[in-house]
mmCIF file of all heavy atoms in Angstrom:
data_model
loop_
_atom_site.group_PDB
_atom_site.id
_atom_site.type_symbol
_atom_site.label_atom_id
_atom_site.label_comp_id
_atom_site.label_asym_id
_atom_site.label_seq_id
_atom_site.Cartn_x
_atom_site.Cartn_y
_atom_site.Cartn_z
ATOM 1 N N ARG J 256 0.362 3.896 15.438
ATOM 2 C CA ARG J 256 -0.162 5.240 15.823
ATOM 3 C C ARG J 256 0.795 5.967 16.768
ATOM 4 O O ARG J 256 0.604 7.139 17.048
ATOM 5 C CB ARG J 256 -1.559 5.149 16.388
ATOM 6 C CG ARG J 256 -2.512 4.526 15.410
ATOM 7 C CD ARG J 256 -3.964 4.340 15.974
ATOM 8 N NE ARG J 256 -4.797 3.458 15.155
ATOM 9 C CZ ARG J 256 -6.023 3.785 14.737
ATOM 10 N NH1 ARG J 256 -6.617 4.916 15.130
ATOM 11 N NH2 ARG J 256 -6.694 2.941 14.001
ATOM 12 N N GLU J 257 1.756 5.187 17.258
ATOM 13 C CA GLU J 257 2.815 5.832 18.169
ATOM 14 C C GLU J 257 4.187 5.329 17.725
ATOM 15 O O GLU J 257 5.075 5.139 18.548
ATOM 16 C CB GLU J 257 2.500 5.455 19.645
ATOM 17 C CG GLU J 257 1.147 5.925 20.130
ATOM 18 C CD GLU J 257 0.836 5.554 21.509
ATOM 19 O OE1 GLU J 257 1.754 5.289 22.365
ATOM 20 O OE2 GLU J 257 -0.392 5.378 21.833
ATOM 21 N N ASN J 258 4.375 5.145 16.437
ATOM 22 C CA ASN J 258 5.585 4.681 15.880
ATOM 23 C C ASN J 258 6.581 5.716 15.746
ATOM 24 O O ASN J 258 6.992 6.097 14.623
ATOM 25 C CB ASN J 258 5.315 3.891 14.510
ATOM 26 C CG ASN J 258 6.493 3.358 13.833
ATOM 27 O OD1 ASN J 258 6.452 3.223 12.593
ATOM 28 N ND2 ASN J 258 7.531 2.883 14.548
ATOM 29 N N TYR J 259 7.143 6.292 16.826
ATOM 30 C CA TYR J 259 8.023 7.371 16.735
ATOM 31 C C TYR J 259 9.414 7.006 16.345
ATOM 32 O O TYR J 259 10.203 7.839 15.721
ATOM 33 C CB TYR J 259 8.031 8.094 18.140
ATOM 34 C CG TYR J 259 6.687 8.649 18.512
ATOM 35 C CD1 TYR J 259 5.985 8.209 19.600
ATOM 36 C CD2 TYR J 259 6.008 9.647 17.786
ATOM 37 C CE1 TYR J 259 4.799 8.657 20.079
ATOM 38 C CE2 TYR J 259 4.754 10.077 18.157
ATOM 39 C CZ TYR J 259 4.148 9.636 19.243
ATOM 40 O OH TYR J 259 2.916 10.071 19.572
ATOM 41 N N GLY J 260 9.813 5.861 16.713
ATOM 42 C CA GLY J 260 11.184 5.359 16.249
ATOM 43 C C GLY J 260 11.091 4.483 15.039
ATOM 44 O O GLY J 260 10.031 4.393 14.447
ATOM 45 N N ILE J 261 12.131 3.835 14.676
ATOM 46 C CA ILE J 261 12.076 2.954 13.515
ATOM 47 C C ILE J 261 11.213 1.710 13.850
ATOM 48 O O ILE J 261 10.372 1.347 13.107
ATOM 49 C CB ILE J 261 13.528 2.524 13.091
ATOM 50 C CG1 ILE J 261 14.255 3.722 12.534
ATOM 51 C CG2 ILE J 261 13.530 1.455 12.049
ATOM 52 C CD1 ILE J 261 15.739 3.462 12.195
ATOM 53 N N LEU J 262 11.520 1.125 14.991
ATOM 54 C CA LEU J 262 10.716 -0.045 15.499
ATOM 55 C C LEU J 262 9.845 0.314 16.657
ATOM 56 O O LEU J 262 8.745 -0.317 16.917
ATOM 57 C CB LEU J 262 11.649 -1.184 15.903
ATOM 58 C CG LEU J 262 12.446 -1.790 14.735
ATOM 59 C CD1 LEU J 262 13.409 -2.888 15.272
ATOM 60 C CD2 LEU J 262 11.585 -2.333 13.659
ATOM 61 N N ARG J 263 10.224 1.345 17.440
ATOM 62 C CA ARG J 263 9.432 1.756 18.653
ATOM 63 C C ARG J 263 8.079 2.188 18.254
ATOM 64 O O ARG J 263 7.919 3.056 17.436
ATOM 65 C CB ARG J 263 10.160 2.854 19.407
ATOM 66 C CG ARG J 263 9.395 3.306 20.668
ATOM 67 C CD ARG J 263 10.378 4.171 21.538
ATOM 68 N NE ARG J 263 10.782 5.362 20.925
ATOM 69 C CZ ARG J 263 10.078 6.507 21.048
ATOM 70 N NH1 ARG J 263 9.050 6.565 21.838
ATOM 71 N NH2 ARG J 263 10.519 7.602 20.451
ATOM 72 N N GLY J 264 7.065 1.552 18.886
ATOM 73 C CA GLY J 264 5.689 2.015 18.553
ATOM 74 C C GLY J 264 5.017 1.217 17.474
ATOM 75 O O GLY J 264 3.892 1.503 17.103
ATOM 76 N N VAL J 265 5.749 0.158 16.875
ATOM 77 C CA VAL J 265 5.097 -0.671 15.923
ATOM 78 C C VAL J 265 4.069 -1.457 16.729
ATOM 79 O O VAL J 265 4.346 -2.111 17.715
ATOM 80 C CB VAL J 265 6.102 -1.592 15.236
ATOM 81 C CG1 VAL J 265 5.366 -2.621 14.390
ATOM 82 C CG2 VAL J 265 7.099 -0.762 14.387
ATOM 83 N N ASP J 266 2.846 -1.434 16.250
ATOM 84 C CA ASP J 266 1.770 -2.046 17.133
ATOM 85 C C ASP J 266 1.033 -3.216 16.425
ATOM 86 O O ASP J 266 1.450 -3.574 15.235
ATOM 87 C CB ASP J 266 0.773 -1.044 17.606
ATOM 88 C CG ASP J 266 0.017 -0.312 16.484
ATOM 89 O OD1 ASP J 266 -0.186 -0.916 15.391
ATOM 90 O OD2 ASP J 266 -0.379 0.867 16.629
ATOM 91 N N THR J 267 0.117 -3.732 17.064
ATOM 92 C CA THR J 267 -0.554 -4.997 16.563
ATOM 93 C C THR J 267 -1.423 -4.672 15.329
ATOM 94 O O THR J 267 -1.884 -5.622 14.669
ATOM 95 C CB THR J 267 -1.423 -5.611 17.675
ATOM 96 O OG1 THR J 267 -2.363 -4.584 18.129
ATOM 97 C CG2 THR J 267 -0.626 -6.167 18.845
ATOM 98 N N GLU J 268 -1.651 -3.388 15.026
ATOM 99 C CA GLU J 268 -2.408 -3.024 13.845
ATOM 100 C C GLU J 268 -1.596 -3.187 12.589
ATOM 101 O O GLU J 268 -2.212 -2.853 11.524
ATOM 102 C CB GLU J 268 -2.968 -1.616 14.017
ATOM 103 C CG GLU J 268 -4.081 -1.476 14.901
ATOM 104 C CD GLU J 268 -4.714 -0.102 14.776
ATOM 105 O OE1 GLU J 268 -5.559 0.144 13.879
ATOM 106 O OE2 GLU J 268 -4.296 0.800 15.555
ATOM 107 N N ILE J 269 -0.344 -3.459 12.677
ATOM 108 C CA ILE J 269 0.431 -3.401 11.502
ATOM 109 C C ILE J 269 -0.066 -4.114 10.288
ATOM 110 O O ILE J 269 -0.048 -3.603 9.134
ATOM 111 C CB ILE J 269 1.941 -3.714 11.780
ATOM 112 C CG1 ILE J 269 2.819 -3.437 10.564
ATOM 113 C CG2 ILE J 269 2.088 -5.201 12.141
ATOM 114 C CD1 ILE J 269 4.245 -3.507 10.907
ATOM 115 N N PRO J 270 -0.651 -5.299 10.390
ATOM 116 C CA PRO J 270 -1.239 -5.942 9.204
ATOM 117 C C PRO J 270 -2.355 -5.095 8.568
ATOM 118 O O PRO J 270 -2.408 -4.942 7.321
ATOM 119 C CB PRO J 270 -1.837 -7.278 9.717
ATOM 120 C CG PRO J 270 -1.060 -7.560 10.930
ATOM 121 C CD PRO J 270 -0.813 -6.184 11.546
ATOM 122 N N ALA J 271 -3.243 -4.497 9.365
ATOM 123 C CA ALA J 271 -4.332 -3.637 8.837
ATOM 124 C C ALA J 271 -3.711 -2.453 8.167
ATOM 125 O O ALA J 271 -4.193 -1.958 7.146
ATOM 126 C CB ALA J 271 -5.345 -3.329 9.926
ATOM 127 N N ILE J 272 -2.769 -1.821 8.866
ATOM 128 C CA ILE J 272 -2.070 -0.636 8.297
ATOM 129 C C ILE J 272 -1.453 -0.950 6.929
ATOM 130 O O ILE J 272 -1.569 -0.155 5.995
ATOM 131 C CB ILE J 272 -1.066 -0.085 9.344
ATOM 132 C CG1 ILE J 272 -1.782 0.565 10.514
ATOM 133 C CG2 ILE J 272 -0.178 0.984 8.635
ATOM 134 C CD1 ILE J 272 -0.857 0.972 11.646
ATOM 135 N N LEU J 273 -0.673 -2.028 6.908
ATOM 136 C CA LEU J 273 -0.026 -2.387 5.590
ATOM 137 C C LEU J 273 -1.043 -2.677 4.527
ATOM 138 O O LEU J 273 -0.822 -2.321 3.364
ATOM 139 C CB LEU J 273 0.858 -3.583 5.822
ATOM 140 C CG LEU J 273 2.110 -3.346 6.701
ATOM 141 C CD1 LEU J 273 2.858 -4.664 6.952
ATOM 142 C CD2 LEU J 273 3.022 -2.366 5.969
ATOM 143 N N PHE J 274 -2.152 -3.322 4.944
ATOM 144 C CA PHE J 274 -3.238 -3.612 3.916
ATOM 145 C C PHE J 274 -3.829 -2.285 3.438
ATOM 146 O O PHE J 274 -3.979 -2.141 2.171
ATOM 147 C CB PHE J 274 -4.361 -4.405 4.523
ATOM 148 C CG PHE J 274 -5.513 -4.663 3.653
ATOM 149 C CD1 PHE J 274 -5.436 -5.586 2.622
ATOM 150 C CD2 PHE J 274 -6.707 -4.017 3.838
ATOM 151 C CE1 PHE J 274 -6.504 -5.793 1.741
ATOM 152 C CE2 PHE J 274 -7.786 -4.231 3.043
ATOM 153 C CZ PHE J 274 -7.671 -5.077 1.952
ATOM 154 N N ARG J 275 -4.105 -1.302 4.246
ATOM 155 C CA ARG J 275 -4.664 -0.039 3.811
ATOM 156 C C ARG J 275 -3.624 0.741 2.981
ATOM 157 O O ARG J 275 -3.955 1.326 1.994
ATOM 158 C CB ARG J 275 -5.117 0.765 5.018
ATOM 159 C CG ARG J 275 -6.318 0.251 5.656
ATOM 160 C CD ARG J 275 -7.100 1.276 6.555
ATOM 161 N NE ARG J 275 -6.336 1.624 7.745
ATOM 162 C CZ ARG J 275 -6.290 0.956 8.901
ATOM 163 N NH1 ARG J 275 -7.031 -0.118 9.021
ATOM 164 N NH2 ARG J 275 -5.600 1.323 9.903
ATOM 165 N N ASP J 276 -2.291 0.663 3.458
ATOM 166 C CA ASP J 276 -1.254 1.303 2.691
ATOM 167 C C ASP J 276 -1.251 0.773 1.271
ATOM 168 O O ASP J 276 -1.102 1.513 0.274
ATOM 169 C CB ASP J 276 0.089 1.149 3.374
ATOM 170 C CG ASP J 276 0.288 2.064 4.503
ATOM 171 O OD1 ASP J 276 -0.616 2.927 4.718
ATOM 172 O OD2 ASP J 276 1.300 1.954 5.176
ATOM 173 N N MET J 277 -1.280 -0.562 1.148
ATOM 174 C CA MET J 277 -1.195 -1.177 -0.189
ATOM 175 C C MET J 277 -2.375 -0.755 -1.081
ATOM 176 O O MET J 277 -2.212 -0.505 -2.297
ATOM 177 C CB MET J 277 -1.116 -2.703 -0.060
ATOM 178 C CG MET J 277 -0.897 -3.470 -1.395
ATOM 179 S SD MET J 277 0.487 -2.785 -2.303
ATOM 180 C CE MET J 277 1.878 -3.291 -1.310
ATOM 181 N N ARG J 278 -3.611 -0.799 -0.433
ATOM 182 C CA ARG J 278 -4.773 -0.379 -1.252
ATOM 183 C C ARG J 278 -4.627 1.023 -1.770
ATOM 184 O O ARG J 278 -4.895 1.394 -2.891
ATOM 185 C CB ARG J 278 -6.056 -0.562 -0.442
ATOM 186 C CG ARG J 278 -6.553 -1.952 -0.287
ATOM 187 C CD ARG J 278 -8.032 -1.996 0.124
ATOM 188 N NE ARG J 278 -8.871 -1.349 -0.932
ATOM 189 C CZ ARG J 278 -10.142 -1.075 -0.710
ATOM 190 N NH1 ARG J 278 -10.753 -1.423 0.465
ATOM 191 N NH2 ARG J 278 -10.824 -0.518 -1.658
ATOM 192 N N LEU J 279 -4.213 1.907 -0.796
ATOM 193 C CA LEU J 279 -4.011 3.324 -1.187
ATOM 194 C C LEU J 279 -2.947 3.447 -2.220
ATOM 195 O O LEU J 279 -3.117 4.271 -3.217
ATOM 196 C CB LEU J 279 -3.717 4.135 0.024
ATOM 197 C CG LEU J 279 -4.874 4.466 0.916
ATOM 198 C CD1 LEU J 279 -4.394 5.089 2.242
ATOM 199 C CD2 LEU J 279 -5.782 5.569 0.307
ATOM 200 N N PHE J 280 -1.890 2.760 -2.146
ATOM 201 C CA PHE J 280 -0.760 2.799 -3.077
ATOM 202 C C PHE J 280 -1.272 2.399 -4.452
ATOM 203 O O PHE J 280 -0.929 3.065 -5.463
ATOM 204 C CB PHE J 280 0.334 1.835 -2.616
ATOM 205 C CG PHE J 280 1.570 1.910 -3.534
ATOM 206 C CD1 PHE J 280 2.548 2.830 -3.224
ATOM 207 C CD2 PHE J 280 1.770 1.103 -4.595
ATOM 208 C CE1 PHE J 280 3.734 2.952 -3.958
ATOM 209 C CE2 PHE J 280 2.871 1.219 -5.347
ATOM 210 C CZ PHE J 280 3.866 2.128 -5.057
ATOM 211 N N LEU J 281 -2.097 1.368 -4.555
ATOM 212 C CA LEU J 281 -2.578 0.938 -5.854
ATOM 213 C C LEU J 281 -3.703 1.821 -6.400
ATOM 214 O O LEU J 281 -3.772 2.012 -7.676
ATOM 215 C CB LEU J 281 -3.096 -0.551 -5.754
ATOM 216 C CG LEU J 281 -2.046 -1.558 -5.380
ATOM 217 C CD1 LEU J 281 -2.732 -2.887 -5.127
ATOM 218 C CD2 LEU J 281 -1.020 -1.713 -6.482
ATOM 219 N N GLU J 282 -4.489 2.369 -5.545
ATOM 220 C CA GLU J 282 -5.729 3.120 -6.050
ATOM 221 C C GLU J 282 -5.661 4.614 -5.921
ATOM 222 O O GLU J 282 -6.489 5.302 -6.531
ATOM 223 C CB GLU J 282 -6.883 2.609 -5.261
ATOM 224 C CG GLU J 282 -7.203 1.053 -5.447
ATOM 225 C CD GLU J 282 -8.374 0.557 -4.643
ATOM 226 O OE1 GLU J 282 -9.186 1.439 -4.272
ATOM 227 O OE2 GLU J 282 -8.455 -0.636 -4.380
ATOM 228 N N ASN J 283 -4.740 5.170 -5.130
ATOM 229 C CA ASN J 283 -4.706 6.627 -4.972
ATOM 230 C C ASN J 283 -3.354 7.205 -5.368
ATOM 231 O O ASN J 283 -2.387 6.992 -4.688
ATOM 232 C CB ASN J 283 -4.956 6.929 -3.444
ATOM 233 C CG ASN J 283 -5.103 8.375 -3.136
ATOM 234 O OD1 ASN J 283 -4.334 9.213 -3.614
ATOM 235 N ND2 ASN J 283 -6.098 8.738 -2.372
ATOM 236 N N PRO J 284 -3.283 7.871 -6.534
ATOM 237 C CA PRO J 284 -2.051 8.459 -6.985
ATOM 238 C C PRO J 284 -1.358 9.362 -6.006
ATOM 239 O O PRO J 284 -0.129 9.431 -6.028
ATOM 240 C CB PRO J 284 -2.396 9.137 -8.289
ATOM 241 C CG PRO J 284 -3.741 8.549 -8.700
ATOM 242 C CD PRO J 284 -4.402 8.197 -7.426
ATOM 243 N N LYS J 285 -2.166 10.176 -5.200
ATOM 244 C CA LYS J 285 -1.553 11.135 -4.242
ATOM 245 C C LYS J 285 -0.817 10.320 -3.213
ATOM 246 O O LYS J 285 0.370 10.720 -2.837
ATOM 247 C CB LYS J 285 -2.678 12.018 -3.628
ATOM 248 C CG LYS J 285 -3.220 12.998 -4.659
ATOM 249 C CD LYS J 285 -4.205 13.881 -3.956
ATOM 250 C CE LYS J 285 -5.463 13.312 -3.514
ATOM 251 N NZ LYS J 285 -6.452 14.229 -2.961
ATOM 252 N N PHE J 286 -1.429 9.301 -2.697
ATOM 253 C CA PHE J 286 -0.798 8.526 -1.616
ATOM 254 C C PHE J 286 0.470 7.790 -2.238
ATOM 255 O O PHE J 286 1.488 7.667 -1.630
ATOM 256 C CB PHE J 286 -1.752 7.443 -1.034
ATOM 257 C CG PHE J 286 -1.070 6.663 -0.061
ATOM 258 C CD1 PHE J 286 -0.853 7.108 1.277
ATOM 259 C CD2 PHE J 286 -0.548 5.338 -0.334
ATOM 260 C CE1 PHE J 286 -0.246 6.266 2.221
ATOM 261 C CE2 PHE J 286 0.080 4.555 0.618
ATOM 262 C CZ PHE J 286 0.224 5.035 1.891
ATOM 263 N N ARG J 287 0.280 7.256 -3.456
ATOM 264 C CA ARG J 287 1.457 6.610 -4.099
ATOM 265 C C ARG J 287 2.682 7.510 -4.197
ATOM 266 O O ARG J 287 3.748 7.033 -3.946
ATOM 267 C CB ARG J 287 0.951 6.099 -5.489
ATOM 268 C CG ARG J 287 2.066 5.218 -6.122
ATOM 269 C CD ARG J 287 1.462 4.268 -7.203
ATOM 270 N NE ARG J 287 0.794 5.057 -8.234
ATOM 271 C CZ ARG J 287 -0.568 4.990 -8.423
ATOM 272 N NH1 ARG J 287 -1.309 4.278 -7.725
ATOM 273 N NH2 ARG J 287 -1.071 5.759 -9.437
ATOM 274 N N ALA J 288 2.392 8.769 -4.540
ATOM 275 C CA ALA J 288 3.531 9.765 -4.645
ATOM 276 C C ALA J 288 4.197 9.908 -3.306
ATOM 277 O O ALA J 288 5.424 9.922 -3.201
ATOM 278 C CB ALA J 288 3.014 11.075 -5.176
ATOM 279 N N ILE J 289 3.449 10.034 -2.241
ATOM 280 C CA ILE J 289 3.950 10.194 -0.954
ATOM 281 C C ILE J 289 4.751 8.913 -0.458
ATOM 282 O O ILE J 289 5.832 9.010 0.015
ATOM 283 C CB ILE J 289 2.756 10.426 0.148
ATOM 284 C CG1 ILE J 289 2.129 11.841 -0.140
ATOM 285 C CG2 ILE J 289 3.353 10.425 1.619
ATOM 286 C CD1 ILE J 289 0.839 11.926 0.579
ATOM 287 N N ALA J 290 4.136 7.813 -0.785
ATOM 288 C CA ALA J 290 4.794 6.517 -0.344
ATOM 289 C C ALA J 290 6.109 6.257 -1.067
ATOM 290 O O ALA J 290 7.062 5.557 -0.545
ATOM 291 C CB ALA J 290 3.832 5.328 -0.579
ATOM 292 N N LEU J 291 6.246 6.808 -2.334
ATOM 293 C CA LEU J 291 7.459 6.550 -2.996
ATOM 294 C C LEU J 291 8.518 7.560 -2.643
ATOM 295 O O LEU J 291 9.780 7.266 -2.656
ATOM 296 C CB LEU J 291 7.213 6.625 -4.542
ATOM 297 C CG LEU J 291 6.431 5.495 -5.132
ATOM 298 C CD1 LEU J 291 6.014 5.817 -6.607
ATOM 299 C CD2 LEU J 291 7.127 4.183 -5.094
ATOM 300 N N GLU J 292 8.109 8.808 -2.223
ATOM 301 C CA GLU J 292 9.049 9.885 -2.061
ATOM 302 C C GLU J 292 9.464 9.896 -0.582
ATOM 303 O O GLU J 292 10.694 10.076 -0.302
ATOM 304 C CB GLU J 292 8.401 11.216 -2.516
ATOM 305 C CG GLU J 292 9.245 12.436 -2.137
ATOM 306 C CD GLU J 292 10.570 12.537 -2.832
ATOM 307 O OE1 GLU J 292 10.729 11.867 -3.934
ATOM 308 O OE2 GLU J 292 11.500 13.220 -2.348
ATOM 309 N N GLU J 293 8.536 9.920 0.359
ATOM 310 C CA GLU J 293 8.832 10.230 1.729
ATOM 311 C C GLU J 293 9.774 9.260 2.480
ATOM 312 O O GLU J 293 10.640 9.690 3.218
ATOM 313 C CB GLU J 293 7.537 10.442 2.538
ATOM 314 C CG GLU J 293 6.835 11.685 2.199
ATOM 315 C CD GLU J 293 7.507 12.982 2.618
ATOM 316 O OE1 GLU J 293 8.082 12.995 3.654
ATOM 317 O OE2 GLU J 293 7.540 13.932 1.778
ATOM 318 N N PRO J 294 9.616 7.950 2.318
ATOM 319 C CA PRO J 294 10.437 6.985 3.108
ATOM 320 C C PRO J 294 11.922 7.187 2.826
ATOM 321 O O PRO J 294 12.784 6.887 3.642
ATOM 322 C CB PRO J 294 9.975 5.588 2.667
ATOM 323 C CG PRO J 294 8.519 5.861 2.296
ATOM 324 C CD PRO J 294 8.473 7.222 1.641
ATOM 325 N N ARG J 295 12.304 7.746 1.568
ATOM 326 C CA ARG J 295 13.712 8.001 1.298
ATOM 327 C C ARG J 295 14.347 8.993 2.305
ATOM 328 O O ARG J 295 15.588 8.975 2.461
ATOM 329 C CB ARG J 295 13.882 8.482 -0.132
ATOM 330 C CG ARG J 295 13.386 7.552 -1.168
ATOM 331 C CD ARG J 295 13.794 8.026 -2.534
ATOM 332 N NE ARG J 295 13.320 9.311 -2.840
ATOM 333 C CZ ARG J 295 13.691 10.054 -3.848
ATOM 334 N NH1 ARG J 295 14.638 9.575 -4.719
ATOM 335 N NH2 ARG J 295 13.171 11.290 -4.114
ATOM 336 N N LYS J 296 13.498 9.735 2.929
ATOM 337 C CA LYS J 296 14.037 10.878 3.811
ATOM 338 C C LYS J 296 14.509 10.279 5.236
ATOM 339 O O LYS J 296 15.016 11.004 5.992
ATOM 340 C CB LYS J 296 12.976 11.939 4.012
ATOM 341 C CG LYS J 296 12.688 12.674 2.627
ATOM 342 C CD LYS J 296 11.617 13.702 2.776
ATOM 343 C CE LYS J 296 11.261 14.196 1.403
ATOM 344 N NZ LYS J 296 10.019 15.056 1.394
ATOM 345 N N TYR J 297 14.238 8.998 5.380
ATOM 346 C CA TYR J 297 14.909 8.367 6.529
ATOM 347 C C TYR J 297 16.432 8.444 6.361
ATOM 348 O O TYR J 297 17.225 8.447 7.347
ATOM 349 C CB TYR J 297 14.490 6.879 6.618
ATOM 350 C CG TYR J 297 13.408 6.591 7.580
ATOM 351 C CD1 TYR J 297 12.307 5.864 7.183
ATOM 352 C CD2 TYR J 297 13.461 6.973 8.907
ATOM 353 C CE1 TYR J 297 11.254 5.539 8.046
ATOM 354 C CE2 TYR J 297 12.455 6.643 9.761
ATOM 355 C CZ TYR J 297 11.403 5.961 9.384
ATOM 356 O OH TYR J 297 10.340 5.685 10.280
ATOM 357 N N PHE J 298 16.837 8.509 5.118
ATOM 358 C CA PHE J 298 18.281 8.513 4.815
ATOM 359 C C PHE J 298 18.725 10.023 4.728
ATOM 360 O O PHE J 298 18.120 10.784 4.020
ATOM 361 C CB PHE J 298 18.575 7.813 3.460
ATOM 362 C CG PHE J 298 18.240 6.407 3.521
ATOM 363 C CD1 PHE J 298 16.983 5.962 2.986
ATOM 364 C CD2 PHE J 298 18.946 5.430 4.167
ATOM 365 C CE1 PHE J 298 16.636 4.566 3.010
ATOM 366 C CE2 PHE J 298 18.602 4.113 4.164
ATOM 367 C CZ PHE J 298 17.474 3.705 3.618
ATOM 368 N N PHE J 299 19.778 10.364 5.378
ATOM 369 C CA PHE J 299 20.223 11.639 5.476
ATOM 370 C C PHE J 299 20.404 12.372 4.153
ATOM 371 O O PHE J 299 20.054 13.557 3.950
ATOM 372 C CB PHE J 299 21.568 11.768 6.264
ATOM 373 C CG PHE J 299 22.140 13.109 6.344
ATOM 374 C CD1 PHE J 299 21.656 14.041 7.360
ATOM 375 C CD2 PHE J 299 23.088 13.643 5.470
ATOM 376 C CE1 PHE J 299 22.120 15.282 7.455
ATOM 377 C CE2 PHE J 299 23.574 14.968 5.540
ATOM 378 C CZ PHE J 299 23.088 15.769 6.558
ATOM 379 N N ARG J 300 20.973 11.682 3.160
ATOM 380 C CA ARG J 300 21.314 12.279 1.909
ATOM 381 C C ARG J 300 20.013 12.891 1.238
ATOM 382 O O ARG J 300 20.026 13.979 0.701
ATOM 383 C CB ARG J 300 21.850 11.216 0.976
ATOM 384 C CG ARG J 300 22.162 11.741 -0.458
ATOM 385 C CD ARG J 300 23.043 10.763 -1.180
ATOM 386 N NE ARG J 300 22.408 9.454 -1.366
ATOM 387 C CZ ARG J 300 21.676 9.072 -2.421
ATOM 388 N NH1 ARG J 300 21.520 9.985 -3.367
ATOM 389 N NH2 ARG J 300 21.212 7.891 -2.487
ATOM 390 N N HIS J 301 18.882 12.089 1.345
ATOM 391 C CA HIS J 301 17.688 12.578 0.670
ATOM 392 C C HIS J 301 17.038 13.692 1.549
ATOM 393 O O HIS J 301 16.502 14.642 0.997
ATOM 394 C CB HIS J 301 16.740 11.434 0.522
ATOM 395 C CG HIS J 301 17.142 10.410 -0.458
ATOM 396 N ND1 HIS J 301 17.204 10.645 -1.864
ATOM 397 C CD2 HIS J 301 17.640 9.138 -0.260
ATOM 398 C CE1 HIS J 301 17.681 9.574 -2.407
ATOM 399 N NE2 HIS J 301 17.972 8.669 -1.536
ATOM 400 N N PHE J 302 17.031 13.584 2.798
ATOM 401 C CA PHE J 302 16.556 14.631 3.753
ATOM 402 C C PHE J 302 17.291 15.976 3.437
ATOM 403 O O PHE J 302 16.651 17.004 3.338
ATOM 404 C CB PHE J 302 16.657 14.157 5.170
ATOM 405 C CG PHE J 302 15.954 15.045 6.125
ATOM 406 C CD1 PHE J 302 14.769 14.628 6.741
ATOM 407 C CD2 PHE J 302 16.500 16.265 6.523
ATOM 408 C CE1 PHE J 302 14.103 15.406 7.733
ATOM 409 C CE2 PHE J 302 15.821 17.085 7.457
ATOM 410 C CZ PHE J 302 14.624 16.677 7.998
ATOM 411 N N PHE J 303 18.642 15.846 3.405
ATOM 412 C CA PHE J 303 19.399 17.056 3.281
ATOM 413 C C PHE J 303 19.136 17.691 1.945
ATOM 414 O O PHE J 303 18.955 18.895 1.770
ATOM 415 C CB PHE J 303 20.897 16.693 3.335
ATOM 416 C CG PHE J 303 21.831 17.860 3.032
ATOM 417 C CD1 PHE J 303 22.095 18.816 3.976
ATOM 418 C CD2 PHE J 303 22.359 17.941 1.791
ATOM 419 C CE1 PHE J 303 22.925 19.904 3.631
ATOM 420 C CE2 PHE J 303 23.172 19.016 1.460
ATOM 421 C CZ PHE J 303 23.434 20.012 2.460
#
């Protein structure tokens, strides 16, 4: 909930967050589209 950097702010909830992310990825097409598209924007080429 405060993960402002790549590792900064990673908290003890990460197992629960990953579990919810996985459920949403499998069951919610809108979230799946976000999860597939957005993380690429960490890389400058995709952001640009």
Side-chain angles (χ1 to χ4, degrees):
R256 300 179 194 229
E257 299 176 27
N258 179 211
Y259 298 116
I261 294 177
L262 296 177
R263 182 166 63 92
V265 173
D266 60 32
T267 56
E268 283 190 87
I269 190 169
I272 291 171
L273 289 173
F274 175 75
R275 289 198 292 275
D276 280 357
M277 184 54 66
R278 281 199 63 189
L279 282 168
F280 185 88
L281 294 173
E282 299 179 21
N283 186 315
K285 291 187 290 186
F286 178 81
R287 186 160 58 246
I289 295 167
L291 291 172
E292 174 64 24
E293 289 292 317
R295 298 190 303 169
K296 295 173 190 174
Y297 264 128
F298 300 100
F299 178 81
R300 179 167 61 92
H301 294 289
F302 189 105
F303 174 81

